[in-house]
Amino acid sequence: MLGRTAASLFWTLRYNERAENMARLLEVAYRIAMTPRFGSDAMDDWRSTLVSAGCLDAFEAKGGELSQRAAINFLLFDRDNPSSVRTCVELARNNARSVRTAITSEMWESINTTYIEMMEVKPQHMTDDKLPGFLSWVKQRAMLFRGALLGTLMRNEGYYFSQLGTFVERADNTARILDVKYWILLPDNEVIGGSLDTYQWSTILRSVSANRSYRHAYRDSSLKAFNVAEFLILRKEMPRSLAYCYDWIEESMEDLTDVYRERLPSYDMAVATHKLLTDRKMSEVFQYGLHEFLSDFISRNNGLSLQLSADYNFA
Amino acid sequence: MEERQIFNEMLNEQGEPREPYRALLQWLESQPPGILKKKTREAETIFRRLGITFAVYGTNEATERLIPFDIIPRIISASEWRRLSAGIDQRVRALNAFLHDIYHRQEIIRAGRIPADLVIQNEAFLPEMIGFTPARKVYAHIIGTDIVRVGENEFYVLEDNTRTPSGVSYMLENRETMMRMFPELFRLNRVAPIDQYPDCLKDTLKSVAPDGVDDPTVCVLTPGIFNSAYFEHAFLADTMGAQLVEGRDLFVDNGKVWMRTTRKPEQVHVIYRRIDDAFLDPLTFRPDSMLGVPGLFDAYRAGNVTICNAPGTGIADDKAVYAYVPDIIEFYTGQKPILNNVPTWNCAKPDDLAYVLDNLAELVVKEVHGSGGYGMLIGPTATKRELSEFAKRLAANPKNYIAQPTLALSACPTHVASGIAPRHVDLRPYVLIGDKVRITPGGLTRVALRKGSLVVNSSQGGGTKDTWVLED
């Protein structure tokens, strides 16, 4: 397989995953905007959404004033925003197109249809009443593409690179959502445990589609900072948790190592990061420092992406 | 050529259906109104979803567009096809013999059958190819011969397209779409299949691998996703099961060509390139090319890789050389050409130029190195102003132009806004030359969708049709 093909598969799936995550983040932000405030400024919420999306710097660089409309527009449609849903869809599709021969026609038709329909959406027509339907369409389309991949793609190196793209992106997304709000998850906060906190915790869960599953995962279904953090970091049943993502990452790296019969530095990195998520309890993470843990994780995860690119000639 | 009636491929002078179209016409008449419109929309959706698009250069619109697809097939009888394919076979063999000759002993020039200047001074002649013999002496492996029809038994070859002819993916997808939408028509007619084309292409490419390579690795070299024919490049690689590569995916080491894979480099033996000669190798040709592979030409000359089509084949479809193709055929095959050439005035000759300038309003004038319908003049449909402006350009640089009579291209039934109406068509059959000559029955029919228009190029608003060759 060409190095460029491997890179394009990896990035197609990263962008596809990012589009989905961006839609989910917006769903939550939009919900917050409709909920009565606890003394906080509405614009603070939008700013924090931009931070979670990793887009605040890019937004401020454009120099526009922050408003709900401006934030939504920036996250959905802005061509200058490398992570806007439209940019992600376009990049995912162009990457898929450049490796058209390495993906199945089902995958191609799915992502190409998404792209065609996305390009027909006019930002000025995206009124508040249309937003929820649109966001759920974005999520559905991203999941359809993943479904086409899982159902039709040969289980060879291309598949492993695709899986790596998905889970590296997803792990990054979950870790960032947690890190932006890490202080409200610190156990000390539980003493206060007011309705504001409960509300913030459920927001975090919603950002990763985990609000319902949390209630089933914990016998005491009421929201607790400790449990929320544990759920999204260490619990393997939760398909967007860091532990779950690294289960897949390590497995895919193992498969690649088998295919190439060669153990490369990226494999060792994946194993080391995975170990951080399997060998310790949540209380130890808190002891170490939640913020420190998350920022260390984010930089390891980025490092893995760079190492993959070096090991497998992504250039 | 005199003004004459346009040949209608479906109906004879009495308005009765010609034999090949009988079953289709009956079927069409039995269909409820509105069905063609509905099916046309369906076809468009299919094409768009599949991403069967091409890019039009020099427009501000979306970079990817659909080629309009006309759902009424163009039909060729078995006997018509036998004659056409015999003529094509003769022509492509002669052109390959010509290429071998002019890059070696140049017998045809010594024999005085073609002017030396026309070949040697030609921009498309590649001195780097002199003395080099590609595998099986084949230069042009993939040829798209453009043919027009003007009467019952009158076919003309317009162009030979010996460089990198495109459009074969449309031929194949048009058929797939027709079979999906009108299965009953394929029960009513015995239509020769064409879906063997990718296998034939792969066999052809493998058959010209460098000597001593048992299981050659074939790849398709594309300029990338922004090229107008990218869909086709990906399509062909995919249907052949070959790697689709860009220049940056290849490198030359130790005289051999390699792909940059995720781990160890893999050697490439045959490159079906879809980039022009000038961009192939920045070390030999255009130094600013980002699309090519440095050192590729040396690896080629060392016999370690086959490039299809060979560099320097452009001389065989040069519009000024075109006028000599009948001589070329006679010279190398000893036979009369089976297919006609269109009479051609070479504006480089003073007498021809004078004639062309005097009769501009009746002629079609083309740039010698142009393609895609860009920069051409169609006298009968041009305005006075366009004519006088073109005459100036022509007089300033006569060597750059050839002229031909405006042919009355045959017309085929076509679905238009007002129903079914005749529109002018041409035909591009696809020929593969390797261990043998393989011609896919039919080819791509291009249709000028505007009433009265003779320009069928997709870049100029033309569409395509599925093309059927009926079996006996």
Side-chain angles (χ1 to χ4, degrees):
Chain A
M1 166 168 283
L2 295 176
R4 181 174 59 83
T5 305
S8 285
L9 286 168
F10 180 79
W11 281 102
T12 299
L13 271 293
R14 275 201 81 158
Y15 284 121
N16 185 66
E17 181 71 21
R18 192 174 296 176
E20 181 187 333
N21 293 336
M22 208 54 74
R24 200 174 276 115
L25 214 52
L26 266 164
E27 276 181 343
V28 174
Y30 190 64
R31 192 186 158 84
I32 296 173
M34 288 188 302
T35 314
R37 250 148 268 289
F38 300 90
S40 77
D41 179 0
M43 285 315 122
D44 283 348
D45 288 329
W46 281 108
R47 183 166 291 114
S48 136
T49 300
L50 285 167
V51 175
S52 302
C55 292
L56 185 65
D57 290 348
F59 182 85
E60 286 178 338
K62 284 203 83 171
E65 203 181 318
L66 182 60
S67 66
Q68 172 165 326
R69 181 107 303 253
I72 291 177
N73 213 39
F74 189 73
L75 292 175
L76 279 184
F77 298 113
D78 203 306
R79 286 183 196 280
D80 296 333
N81 175 5
S83 296
S84 75
V85 171
R86 173 149 71 188
T87 312
C88 287
V89 167
E90 192 167 356
L91 290 172
R93 187 263 190 178
N94 281 349
N95 269 290
R97 190 163 181 253
S98 77
V99 291
R100 180 62 191 79
T101 51
I103 61 174
T104 62
S105 52
E106 284 89 347
M107 289 169 70
W108 166 247
E109 285 185 36
S110 149
I111 203 155
N112 192 41
T113 305
T114 308
Y115 167 79
I116 291 166
E117 292 179 19
M118 182 76 210
M119 292 303 129
E120 283 164 2
V121 176
K122 301 246 181 327
Q124 62 271 27
H125 295 165
M126 190 46 62
T127 46
D128 285 359
D129 59 316
K130 291 198 189 115
L131 192 62
F134 177 70
L135 294 173
S136 107
W137 175 82
V138 171
K139 284 194 306 179
Q140 296 281 341
R141 294 302 309 184
M143 290 189 270
L144 185 68
F145 177 67
R146 279 268 303 150
L149 180 143
L150 295 174
T152 61
L153 192 65
M154 292 250 285
R155 265 36 176 188
N156 56 22
E157 34 188 344
Y159 172 75
Y160 307 134
F161 286 115
S162 311
Q163 290 290 66
L164 286 169
T166 298
F167 291 109
V168 165
E169 179 68 27
R170 187 179 295 177
D172 179 66
N173 177 64
T174 302
R176 258 182 311 105
I177 287 176
L178 286 170
D179 198 32
V180 169
K181 293 269 170 85
Y182 79 91
W183 64 88
I184 61 163
L185 291 168
L186 297 179
D188 302 352
N189 263 350
E190 232 160 324
V191 186
I192 310 162
S195 57
L196 171 60
D197 296 321
T198 317
Y199 170 71
Q200 299 259 38
W201 297 332
S202 78
T203 301
I204 290 175
L205 288 171
R206 278 179 207 281
S207 320
V208 291
S209 286
N211 197 26
R212 297 268 173 93
S213 44
Y214 174 91
R215 318 272 170 173
H216 294 284
Y218 289 91
R219 281 172 62 88
D220 171 11
S221 65
S222 63
L223 296 177
K224 291 206 165 57
F226 185 93
N227 288 352
V228 170
E230 183 194 58
F231 193 46
L232 297 189
I233 295 172
L234 298 183
R235 287 286 288 260
K236 292 184 174 182
E237 311 94 299
M238 162 54 194
R240 314 194 81 81
S241 76
L242 306 187
Y244 180 88
C245 292
Y246 264 79
D247 264 7
W248 270 105
I249 288 171
E250 188 179 324
E251 202 173 310
S252 302
M253 293 298 309
E254 227 174 270
D255 289 330
L256 277 180
T257 306
D258 283 352
V259 168
Y260 295 116
R261 296 167 195 282
E262 205 173 350
R263 186 173 173 141
L264 298 169
S266 49
Y267 180 77
D268 295 326
M269 285 176 77
V271 171
T273 308
H274 192 206
K275 223 164 153 28
L276 290 181
L277 301 162
T278 46
D279 277 10
R280 60 181 73 187
K281 297 197 184 76
M282 200 57 215
S283 53
E284 291 168 318
V285 172
F286 278 120
Q287 229 159 41
Y288 178 76
L290 180 59
H291 175 59
E292 289 72 15
F293 178 85
L294 288 170
S295 31
D296 176 48
F297 175 85
I298 291 169
S299 88
R300 281 165 172 273
N301 192 48
N302 284 338
L304 174 63
S305 183
L306 292 173
Q307 193 61 45
L308 279 172
S309 147
D311 286 353
Y312 296 103
N313 298 322
F314 278 11
Chain B
M1 226 168 293
E2 291 164 29
E3 187 98 2
R4 66 157 97 205
Q5 232 191 322
I6 291 156
F7 182 76
N8 184 320
E9 295 197 7
M10 179 166 73
L11 302 173
N12 66 19
E13 291 72 25
Q14 286 76 46
E16 294 155 353
R18 296 180 197 276
E19 196 48 44
Y21 279 89
R22 200 175 289 278
L24 174 72
L25 194 63
Q26 249 172 26
W27 179 87
L28 273 174
E29 280 164 355
S30 72
Q31 293 302 301
I35 186 88
L36 293 183
K37 215 169 250 173
K38 186 169 155 269
K39 291 283 185 185
T40 299
R41 271 200 304 270
E42 238 177 83
E44 259 169 39
T45 313
I46 293 175
F47 281 126
R48 199 172 281 284
R49 210 181 55 219
L50 294 176
I52 307 180
T53 54
F54 76 107
V56 179
Y57 299 122
T59 61
N60 290 326
E61 286 174 55
T63 50
E64 291 165 37
R65 272 209 255 157
L66 286 181
I67 292 190
F69 172 61
D70 182 67
I71 59 174
I72 303 179
R74 193 251 190 105
I75 310 180
I76 297 167
S77 74
S79 62
E80 286 164 352
W81 179 250
R82 270 194 293 275
R83 182 156 159 257
L84 280 176
S85 54
I88 294 166
D89 184 281
Q90 179 194 48
R91 212 168 158 103
V92 300
R93 285 176 197 271
L95 289 173
N96 271 298
F98 169 68
L99 284 163
H100 182 261
D101 185 24
I102 60 159
Y103 288 121
H104 290 84
R105 294 180 47 81
Q106 307 190 328
E107 304 280 3
I108 194 167
I109 296 174
R110 293 171 202 227
R113 299 293 292 268
I114 189 166
D117 276 7
L118 186 62
V119 175
I120 315 286
Q121 304 297 327
N122 201 306
E123 274 176 47
F125 181 77
L126 221 57
E128 290 86 348
M129 285 295 288
I130 292 172
F132 174 73
T133 308
R136 293 182 190 271
K137 294 189 187 175
V138 179
Y139 289 74
H141 311 83
I142 298 114
I143 294 182
T145 314
D146 283 349
I147 294 175
V148 297
R149 184 176 198 180
V150 299
E152 178 85 61
N153 286 307
E154 246 181 299
F155 295 91
Y156 287 91
V157 173
L158 266 190
E159 276 175 36
D160 290 290
N161 298 304
T162 56
R163 296 170 218 215
T164 49
S166 62
V168 75
S169 58
Y170 300 109
M171 170 183 91
L172 296 168
E173 289 290 5
N174 286 354
R175 175 63 56 83
E176 286 300 313
T177 305
M178 286 300 284
M179 290 178 75
R180 204 180 315 184
M181 292 199 308
F182 302 107
E184 67 273 29
L185 276 178
F186 289 85
R187 279 196 296 274
L188 292 169
N189 295 279
R190 289 166 50 80
V191 182
I194 56 173
D195 54 2
Q196 67 278 21
Y197 181 85
D199 288 333
C200 292
L201 177 59
K202 187 143 198 196
D203 291 345
T204 299
L205 294 171
K206 282 186 155 182
S207 78
V208 293
D211 281 343
V213 181
D214 289 337
D215 185 19
T217 298
V218 175
C219 67
V220 178
L221 176 60
T222 173
I225 64 168
F226 298 109
N227 183 266
S228 71
Y230 178 77
F231 163 74
E232 177 157 304
H233 308 161
F235 177 91
L236 290 174
D238 204 18
T239 47
M240 284 195 292
Q243 283 282 5
L244 178 65
V245 300
E246 297 178 17
R248 57 190 161 123
D249 298 322
L250 300 179
F251 67 96
V252 174
D253 185 39
N254 202 13
K256 292 175 179 153
V257 184
W258 307 85
M259 283 192 276
R260 287 179 217 278
T261 75
T262 44
R263 297 304 298 151
K264 286 196 186 67
E266 194 184 323
Q267 198 185 340
V268 173
H269 306 100
V270 182
I271 300 177
Y272 176 21
R273 50 86 172 231
R274 296 292 298 256
I275 66 179
D276 293 341
D277 285 356
F279 297 99
L280 272 179
D281 178 352
L283 298 184
T284 307
F285 307 110
R286 273 179 70 156
D288 60 336
S289 169
M290 304 291 283
L291 305 174
V293 186
L296 176 60
F297 196 76
D298 285 344
Y300 177 62
R301 288 216 38 144
N304 290 329
V305 67
T306 302
I307 300 176
C308 302
N309 291 349
T313 53
I315 186 74
D317 72 5
D318 180 80
K319 291 193 175 68
V321 171
Y322 166 86
Y324 294 88
V325 173
D327 298 292
I328 288 173
I329 293 173
E330 286 199 39
F331 188 77
Y332 297 105
T333 69
Q335 298 163 345
K336 290 267 170 225
I338 299 170
L339 295 172
N340 299 322
N341 235 35
V342 184
T344 301
W345 289 277
N346 184 350
C347 300
K349 297 182 190 166
D351 289 355
D352 284 18
L353 176 65
Y355 177 87
V356 172
L357 286 170
D358 283 348
N359 296 280
L360 207 53
E362 276 83 56
L363 301 173
V364 174
V365 190
K366 298 175 181 171
E367 286 183 15
V368 174
H369 301 293
S371 69
Y374 292 101
M376 69 190 271
L377 172 89
I378 299 186
T381 59
T383 62
K384 278 220 168 75
R385 199 197 157 112
E386 284 167 344
L387 285 172
S388 73
E389 275 171 11
F390 202 92
K392 267 184 231 150
R393 254 185 287 159
L394 177 54
N397 188 10
K399 256 187 16 203
N400 195 34
Y401 297 93
I402 54 125
Q404 292 170 339
T406 310
L407 295 179
L409 266 55
S410 62
C412 279
T414 301
H415 179 236
V416 297
S418 58
I420 296 176
R423 289 289 183 269
H424 296 293
V425 294
D426 78 350
L427 177 67
R428 177 178 291 182
Y430 293 92
V431 197
L432 299 166
I433 305 105
D435 50 344
K436 52 186 173 183
V437 175
R438 298 170 169 92
I439 310 179
T440 307
L444 182 69
T445 290
R446 298 186 297 176
V447 52
L449 294 169
R450 252 175 302 140
K451 192 176 177 183
S453 169
L454 293 169
V455 189
V456 295
N457 300 79
S458 50
S459 49
Q460 313 281 316
T464 68
K465 282 169 169 291
D466 187 16
T467 309
W468 296 359
V469 169
L470 298 186
E471 290 183 338
D472 282 329

